[in-house]
């Protein structure tokens, strides 16, 4: 492995591009390969074994491309599969988990909400983290059923999204939460809509910036940080149609390459 090798990033689909953007902003010279496994999205309703097997497939694709590090830009894959990935592949992994800790540290109402997939909320890792930081704090967990397929289809606004978001935040509003944790890398794309539906005293937290920081720290620790300032190669692979990736990455069109590929 050397510093010019790419950082590999995968998600069940297009959502992890919210994490890629944070990583690219913090580490603009790093070469990156993003894998959108949209053909198998959503992961959130699949069994742990299925999520592990898809995560292994994605990891092996990225390792064939000589990635020096892998960012699992998917809460569902992280909470269900990252320990297996770390045991089986000799490359540093970074995962993303719902940001319960900062929400628990900052809450004044002692009540926080979490919107995530069924796979994340039912995982052992999520329960461990949640128990570790939320003594005396009430957590309202809500499964964001139906949101990922809409985002995968490029639908980020409109009546269907608003109706689902209203339904999902109501129990949180009833519980007087002052923080809503977005526990799925697809959901940051819904922040503009969410903000219109909640009072201004509620803070929305997602983990993207923290994951980017962690990526930098781990690259430094392994002496893998790219110190070269040449224009990076920013590749995106999807096993579905490229339209939604193009939409979400429209601000980067002149700098990125998107390819459809079977994997
Ligand atoms: N983006 C994913 C996550 O962070 C997965 C959503 C899904 O495929 O269900 O959980």
């Amino acid at each position: 492995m050397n510093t010019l090798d790419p950082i590999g990033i995968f998600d069940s689909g297009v959502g992890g591009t919210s994490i890629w953007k944070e990583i690219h902003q913090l580490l603009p010279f790093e070469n990156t390969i993003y894998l959108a496994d949209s053909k198998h999205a959503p992961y959130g309703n699949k069994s742990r074994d299925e999520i592990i097997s898809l995560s292994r497939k994605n990891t092996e694709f990225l390792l064939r491309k000589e990635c020096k590090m892998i960012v699992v830009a998917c809460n569902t894959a992280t909470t269900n599969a990252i320990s297996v990935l770390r045991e089986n592949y000799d490359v540093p992994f970074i995962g993303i988990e719902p940001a319960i800790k900062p929400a628990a540290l900052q809450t004044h109402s002692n009540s926080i909400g979490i919107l995530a997939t069924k796979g994340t909320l039912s995982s052992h890792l999520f329960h461990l983290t949640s128990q570790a930081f939320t003594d005396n704090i009430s957590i309202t967990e809500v499964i964001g059923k139906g949101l990922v397929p809409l985002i995968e289809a490029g639908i980020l606004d409109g009546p269907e999204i608003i109706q689902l978001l209203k339904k999902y935040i109501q129990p949180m509003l009833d519980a007087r939460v002052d923080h809503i944790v977005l526990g799925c890398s697809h959901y940051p794309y819904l922040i503009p809509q969410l903000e219109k539906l909640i009072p201004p005293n509620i803070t929305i937290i997602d983990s993207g910036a923290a994951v980017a920081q962690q990526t930098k720290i781990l690259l430094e620790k392994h002496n893998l940080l790219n110190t070269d300032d040449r224009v990076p190669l920013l590749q995106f692979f999807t096993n579905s149609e490229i339209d939604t990736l193009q939409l979400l990455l429209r601000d980067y069109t002149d700098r990125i390459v998107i390819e459809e590929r079977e994997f």
Side-chain angles (χ1 to χ4, degrees), residues 11-13 15-16 40-45 73-77 96 116-117 120 148 152 183-187:
D11 179 36
S12 62
H40 300 105
Y43 282 11
N45 306 328
C74 174
N75 293 260
T76 313
I96 176 168
T117 68
T120 295
V148 167
E152 284 292 316
C184 171
S185 57
H186 283 67
Y187 300 164

Side-chain angles (χ1 to χ4, degrees), residues 2-55:
N2 78 62
T3 57
L4 290 176
D5 289 339
I7 300 173
I9 302 166
F10 78 81
D11 179 36
S12 62
V14 299
T17 53
S18 64
I19 313 292
W20 174 85
K21 288 176 188 176
E22 299 281 358
I23 292 174
H24 179 61
Q25 190 180 333
L26 186 68
L27 302 164
F29 299 114
E30 291 289 342
N31 297 302
T32 60
I33 299 183
Y34 181 95
L35 210 54
D37 193 14
S38 294
K39 187 171 153 188
H40 300 105
Y43 282 11
N45 306 328
K46 297 192 191 301
S47 69
R48 180 165 185 264
D49 283 350
E50 282 174 294
I51 297 168
I52 289 173
S53 137
L54 291 167
S55 300

Side-chain angles (χ1 to χ4, degrees), residues 164-207:
L164 287 177
L165 287 179
K166 275 189 179 161
K167 181 165 120 193
Y168 296 150
I169 59 172
Q170 193 54 50
M172 302 189 192
L173 299 178
D174 293 344
R176 301 197 171 281
V177 305
D178 61 357
H179 287 75
I180 296 179
V181 177
L182 300 184
C184 171
S185 57
H186 283 67
Y187 300 164
Y189 286 112
L190 304 180
I191 289 176
Q193 286 65 263
L194 254 180
E195 279 175 339
K196 285 184 222 148
L197 301 173
I198 57 174
N201 67 308
I202 298 183
T203 307
I204 299 171
I205 304 194
D206 75 87
S207 323

